[in-house]
């Protein structure tokens, strides 16, 4: 059975969980804290403690980065409900939306961690840069 290794609040893991559910693909959800000393993430992801989710396949190999996981699922399970149109223009539009939303999620995650720094250690320039992300999306 597939195993999705995820951190509970991860928006990237959430989109993978949604696709697995929409396609009725059974999987086991394993919650991981990637910065914890007991993490198993480095065993399956060369980006070590930095990136979740990743999908452990039945043969023990893994797929990491949510967009790669989604492409794998779409290709590996063709008999299930397709998540993307076969029309190239519609597919490109959907992929562009995915990139923008992922970028906005990245900015929010960066802001979250920046605000956890001590007051004197926060970068106002860095926070302002993250807040500018997505302003010109049409």
């Amino acid at each position: 059975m597939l195993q999705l290794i995820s951190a509970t609040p991860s928006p990237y893991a959430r989109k993978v969980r949604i696709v697995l559910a929409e396609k009725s693909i059974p999987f086991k959800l394993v919650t991981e804290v990637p910065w914890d000393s007991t993490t198993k993430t480095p065993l399956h992801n060369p980006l070590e403690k930095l990136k979740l989710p990743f999908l452990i396949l039945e043969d023990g190999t893994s797929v990491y980065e949510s967009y790669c996981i989604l492409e794998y699922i779409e290709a590996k399970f063709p008999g299930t409900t397709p998540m993307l149109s076969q029309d190239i223009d519609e597919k490109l539009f959907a992929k562009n939306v995915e990139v923008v939303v992922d970028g906005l999620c990245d900015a929010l995650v960066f802001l979250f961690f920046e605000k956890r720094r001590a007051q004197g250690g926060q970068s106002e320039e860095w926070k302002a840069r993250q807040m500018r992300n997505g302003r010109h999306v049409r």
Side-chain angles (χ1 to χ4, degrees):
M1 175 180 284
L2 297 174
Q3 292 183 63
L4 179 63
I5 312 303
S6 163
T8 302
S10 170
Y12 311 104
R14 189 171 298 117
K15 71 180 179 179
V16 174
R17 289 195 324 258
I18 289 168
V19 167
L20 288 167
E22 286 293 321
K23 289 178 161 288
S24 300
I25 299 169
F27 69 100
K28 178 181 177 185
L29 179 63
V30 178
T31 301
E32 180 84 6
V33 179
W35 48 82
D36 191 74
S37 63
T38 62
T39 184
K40 303 287 189 239
T41 301
L43 300 174
H44 302 283
N45 187 338
L47 298 174
E48 293 202 13
K49 298 180 182 184
L50 301 176
K51 291 288 196 168
L52 290 177
F54 58 91
L55 187 68
I56 301 176
L57 309 181
E58 291 178 357
D59 68 0
T61 59
S62 58
V63 182
Y64 27 90
E65 287 292 337
S66 58
Y67 71 91
C68 291
I69 296 169
L70 296 179
E71 285 186 22
Y72 170 82
I73 292 168
E74 196 72 11
K76 185 70 174 180
F77 300 94
T80 59
T81 305
M83 295 291 109
L84 294 171
S85 170
Q86 293 304 307
D87 178 82
I88 190 65
D89 293 323
E90 290 176 2
K91 187 182 283 189
L92 176 62
F93 176 78
K95 294 305 249 175
N96 280 337
V97 168
E98 180 181 20
V99 168
V100 169
V101 171
D102 281 353
L104 293 173
C105 287
D106 288 344
L108 291 172
V109 169
F110 294 152
L111 279 170
F112 172 80
F113 284 110
E114 186 67 22
K115 288 183 177 188
R116 291 188 61 173
R117 292 178 183 234
Q119 272 304 98
Q122 292 183 20
S123 168
E124 294 305 316
E125 182 180 337
W126 179 256
K127 289 193 290 188
R129 179 178 175 206
Q130 300 312 314
M131 292 301 293
R132 286 192 303 270
N133 283 324
R135 284 202 180 151
H136 304 291
V137 175
R138 290 181 184 15

